[in-house]
Each structure stands twice: as C-alpha cells, then as structure tokens.
Amino acid sequence: MDVVELDPSVYEISKKWFGLREDDRMAVHVADGLKHITDLAKQDPKPQYSAIMFDVDGKDTSVGMSCPPMSFVEVEFLQSVKSLLAPHGVFILNLVCRDLTLQATVLSRVHEVFATAHCLDIASEVNKIVIALVQPVPCMHNDADLHVPAMEWVKGSAVELEKTIVDSAPPAARSNVRFISSMFAKLQLLS
C-alpha cells in the first residue's frame, strides 16, 4: 500500500499519535498527490493498484467544494488515476460539495472516465463517497430483477477489496477501511 501525504506534520502526528508504521506492506510518500499520480502514470510499466482512494482537503472553500480540490477531478487527472488501476480496480473519492451544479460536474467527469460509478450519501453529512470501477458491472440494467446480480457482484468486490486493504492497513486505519467497504452494501447508482 502506498500512502501520499502532502503535509510532513500530518505524517509525523500519524506516527506519534495514531501508530502509523511503515513496513514492507506500506510506504508513505510525503509528496504532492497530483504530482505523485502524474509521475506514476508516466512510468513504463505503470504500477497497478487494486484501489486508489482520495480524501484530499481543499483549503479554498470559495469554489463550493472543500474536498477534493478541483485539480483532483479534472478529466485528464482522472484518466491518470484509471491508468494505474488493475482491471478490476476501484477508485474511491470523498466528495464534499455543497454546490449541486459543481457536484454534478464532478460526477459527470467520473462517469466520463470510469465504466461504472456509484455515489453513497452519508446520512446527516455533506460528504458523499464516490466509487468508480474500471470495468462495467455485469448485468447492469434498469430492470430491478436484473439489477440484483450487478449489486451482488459489487458487494463481492467490496469483500475482496476490504480483505486486501484491511490486511495491509495499519491498525489505526482499519476501522475507516471497514466503514468504506461496508458502504458498498448501501450503494446508490448515479443517474
């Protein structure tokens, strides 16, 4: 697992107070996430990840979106993210956006790049969790009866993803990983 954190003080606090430990299963890169992803996408061969997650705080709330900054949801950058995912890879984005027009723009961009995208509302929160898949979900139809196999496939992917990530995550991060993967069971399809 690779973790990218821009702020060295967050990294130091994570080690001191939350038990973050680097080992052969997890490396922390104190770097700009945009540059890190862009540089990885230029490598030949590219590394392949099962999952890429963004929980990036944007300091400029005047745009109507505090997470992530707009540069993280530009189509070209999302294409770089997708190029780093394995064929059954999952992209997970924490979206905090009060501007409904901007939110629709972000979701449209995710749809443009990824084969399948889902959005989870978090009760009583502005946050939405956007989950995008490299490959289309099998049996994805409008008919409710045919929709069930697709959702079961996604839930099965969540169990597999959770095991992979939880096994790699430091103990302090495991509850967050379990929360995200449990949200798969409550998916709402983006229209």
Side-chain angles (χ1 to χ4, degrees), residues 1-190:
M1 177 188 312
D2 289 327
V3 176
V4 181
E5 171 53 53
L6 180 63
D7 188 341
S9 59
V10 170
Y11 173 59
E12 292 303 321
I13 290 168
S14 297
K15 288 192 307 185
K16 183 175 181 176
W17 297 102
F18 297 103
L20 176 70
R21 288 189 327 262
E22 292 186 72
D23 57 25
D24 59 334
R25 297 181 311 160
M26 184 176 70
V28 177
H29 308 272
V30 178
D32 180 304
L34 289 167
K35 183 174 179 346
H36 188 78
I37 292 283
T38 302
D39 290 348
L40 288 176
K42 291 177 183 174
Q43 290 181 3
D44 187 23
K46 293 176 178 58
Q48 295 288 280
Y49 294 93
S50 298
I52 295 177
M53 297 182 212
F54 287 174
D55 188 9
V56 185
D57 181 39
K59 301 299 181 207
D60 181 7
T61 57
S62 68
V63 297
M65 182 168 72
S66 60
C67 181
M70 282 301 291
S71 51
F72 280 83
V73 289
E74 297 293 339
V75 169
E76 184 177 346
F77 185 72
L78 290 172
Q79 289 169 336
S80 293
V81 170
K82 182 180 175 184
S83 76
L84 296 172
L85 287 167
H88 286 90
V90 178
F91 170 57
I92 302 169
L93 168 71
N94 182 20
L95 177 63
V96 182
C97 184
R98 294 182 187 278
D99 181 325
L100 297 179
T101 303
L102 182 56
Q103 186 180 98
T105 299
V106 170
L107 297 177
S108 175
R109 290 175 182 177
V110 172
H111 269 290
E112 182 178 332
V113 174
F114 290 91
T116 304
H118 307 276
C119 188
L120 302 166
D121 288 318
I122 300 175
S124 303
E125 294 289 334
V126 176
N127 298 53
K128 294 185 180 302
I129 303 299
V130 178
I131 300 168
L133 308 173
V134 172
Q135 294 188 357
V137 174
C139 305
M140 185 64 75
H141 298 284
N142 290 331
D143 183 283
D145 292 335
L146 295 176
H147 183 69
V148 173
M151 296 315 296
E152 291 304 316
W153 182 84
V154 171
K155 288 178 193 172
S157 295
V159 170
E160 203 172 300
L161 174 64
E162 177 183 6
K163 180 170 177 18
T164 301
I165 297 173
V166 169
D167 287 350
S168 302
R174 290 183 180 163
S175 63
N176 290 339
V177 171
R178 284 189 181 102
F179 168 76
I180 290 171
S181 63
S182 72
M183 295 300 284
F184 270 98
K186 300 173 185 170
L187 289 176
Q188 298 175 359
L189 291 178
L190 293 173

